[in-house]
Amino acid sequence: MRIVIATAMFMLAGLSAAYAQPCEPSDGRSAVMLSSREVAGNRDYNEVLEGPGWTFQLKRAAHGWDVRLLDENGLDLTQMTPPLHGPNPRQLYGWHFRNADNTGPNTGDVNAPQGLRLFGFDPALTGTGGFKPSSDEGAMDQPGRGALTIEDMGLADLEPGQKARMNYLKFNVCMTWPKTDKEKQKEAAEVAAMTELSKVTPELIEMMGDCGLDYQTYQITPYLTPVELGGDFDADDAHDQAVPIIRKADDKRGLFLCRAGTWGQVVGMTGRMGAHLTPAYFDNIDWWSLHTGPAGQGAGGTPPPALKGDAILIGKEGASSVLIYWTGETYSAYWQGD
């Protein structure tokens, strides 16, 4: 048996203004709309939400599906949705739509939610191990809000005395929540990247091209900030420059170092530098800075190099860092440690 549900049937008079808002991002809140999704048979439905990294899940149950919103550790953020006892809006079960003796549609004799399912969720549950409230009071006053609408469904086990089972579901779901720290950090990084991208000026592109940067193969890309470091790498009293680049063919990261606007060299793309630095390290770095003065003692126990000029310090936040320096003939690297 297949039942088509009209959206108008689900406009409940008691819906709060929070759930009546458009499914759109607003100041300080994220939103996602999953439209016309389908699941059938004994399968689960899983969809990862870009941004917070959560997974919207319909978990297969005996009589239909259970709504879940899983954080990256698999914790269900919707677990506080009331009522905590009895039919819950997160339970999408076939018998909710049948009368008590399973001889026809539910006309009100079975107390169960119908086509619009409202649920709450709280990103703050992450790391708590699954906190459960002692009562229903205030459980729906959660920062995350979800509204699932059933568009179409199929039911089985419709014989009198049986408990109807949902075996097909077509739905849409809107979820909104306060932006997480992860999303805020990503937005800030995107803004910073856009700011740095604006600094990849035609003049900078021309200067690096004059220095030998092959734009058929490489592109200046501000995955590091600032987008340009200036110093005197070879101690000849001429101004030298460095920019972050990617290889267009595979987005491999590296650096382009230009001495005196004339002699350029790509580093980090191929081959080992120094004793330990491999090209893979460049794909994980997230900061760099100009190093002036002598090199400090590194983590490997080998004596630090005698720097001929300024060096470039590259690294990943909370991890190791590496000095890149001019030897007189080429660039090499010295591991500084954490």
Side-chain angles (χ1 to χ4, degrees):
M1 177 181 180
R2 189 165 175 175
I3 302 174
V4 177
I5 308 296
T7 303
M9 294 172 60
F10 307 134
M11 297 308 295
L12 307 181
L15 284 181
S16 68
Y19 282 94
Q21 299 300 316
C23 194
E24 298 175 356
S26 59
D27 187 27
R29 292 187 69 86
S30 296
V32 65
M33 181 73 176
L34 309 181
S35 299
S36 296
R37 302 309 203 254
E38 295 179 292
V39 64
N42 292 319
R43 293 187 292 273
D44 295 340
Y45 181 89
N46 293 281
E47 184 165 347
V48 177
L49 307 185
E50 185 179 354
W54 305 325
T55 299
F56 176 78
Q57 180 183 75
L58 295 182
K59 180 71 175 175
R60 185 62 185 170
H63 298 99
W65 286 272
D66 292 323
V67 173
R68 299 287 184 264
L69 185 62
L70 307 178
D71 71 3
E72 292 172 319
N73 298 314
L75 179 67
D76 180 20
L77 304 179
T78 72
Q79 61 184 257
M80 294 170 64
T81 301
L84 303 182
H85 306 286
N88 188 280
R90 299 180 302 145
Q91 299 168 338
L92 308 174
Y93 297 169
W95 60 267
H96 291 178
F97 303 91
R98 300 286 288 175
N99 59 22
D101 56 8
N102 199 25
T103 58
N106 182 3
T107 57
D109 54 332
V110 174
N111 183 20
Q114 294 298 290
L116 178 64
R117 305 302 182 97
L118 305 180
F119 57 92
F121 57 94
D122 190 352
L125 283 176
T126 294
T128 65
F131 170 77
K132 295 177 176 61
S134 57
S135 72
D136 290 352
E137 184 178 355
M140 203 57 187
D141 185 20
Q142 296 181 63
R145 304 159 191 152
L148 183 146
T149 301
I150 298 174
E151 297 178 352
D152 191 4
M153 65 180 169
L155 301 180
D157 300 336
L158 302 182
E159 293 77 11
Q162 289 192 327
K163 214 163 189 179
R165 171 172 51 90
M166 187 182 294
N167 58 10
Y168 167 75
L169 175 65
K170 183 178 181 181
F171 65 95
N172 67 63
V173 61
C174 171
M175 289 169 282
T176 73
W177 62 91
K179 290 179 180 175
T180 63
D181 289 342
K182 180 179 178 181
E183 290 176 294
K184 291 176 183 177
Q185 291 167 2
K186 181 180 178 182
E187 286 184 354
E190 289 173 348
V191 169
M194 289 299 295
T195 300
E196 290 305 312
L197 187 60
S198 69
K199 297 177 183 177
V200 183
T201 61
E203 292 77 14
L204 181 62
I205 293 172
E206 182 179 0
M207 282 191 293
M208 294 299 104
D210 290 343
C211 201
L213 180 58
D214 177 12
Y215 288 114
Q216 294 291 324
T217 305
Y218 304 108
Q219 176 180 309
I220 300 174
T221 303
Y223 65 86
L224 297 171
T225 57
V227 74
E228 176 190 0
L229 285 181
D232 185 3
F233 305 145
D234 53 5
D236 65 352
D237 294 326
H239 184 68
D240 305 322
Q241 295 165 285
V243 293
I245 59 172
I246 62 167
R247 187 165 55 204
K248 293 180 179 180
D250 56 6
D251 288 338
K252 174 73 184 71
R253 292 179 172 185
L255 304 177
F256 182 71
L257 288 79
C258 173
R259 293 186 295 118
T262 304
W263 300 283
Q265 185 172 333
V266 172
V267 300
M269 294 290 179
T270 58
R272 185 184 296 271
M273 295 180 67
H276 304 290
L277 184 60
T278 63
Y281 181 81
F282 287 82
D283 292 326
N284 295 303
I285 61 175
D286 53 20
W287 64 268
W288 68 341
S289 63
L290 188 70
H291 176 89
T292 59
Q297 176 62 50
T302 57
L307 300 181
K308 297 183 178 300
D310 300 329
I312 295 174
L313 190 62
I314 61 174
K316 180 173 177 58
E317 191 68 36
S320 56
S321 58
V322 177
L323 271 179
I324 297 176
Y325 64 95
W326 178 251
T327 66
E329 296 181 355
T330 189
Y331 292 97
S332 189
Y334 181 68
W335 209 270
Q336 289 286 272
D338 295 342

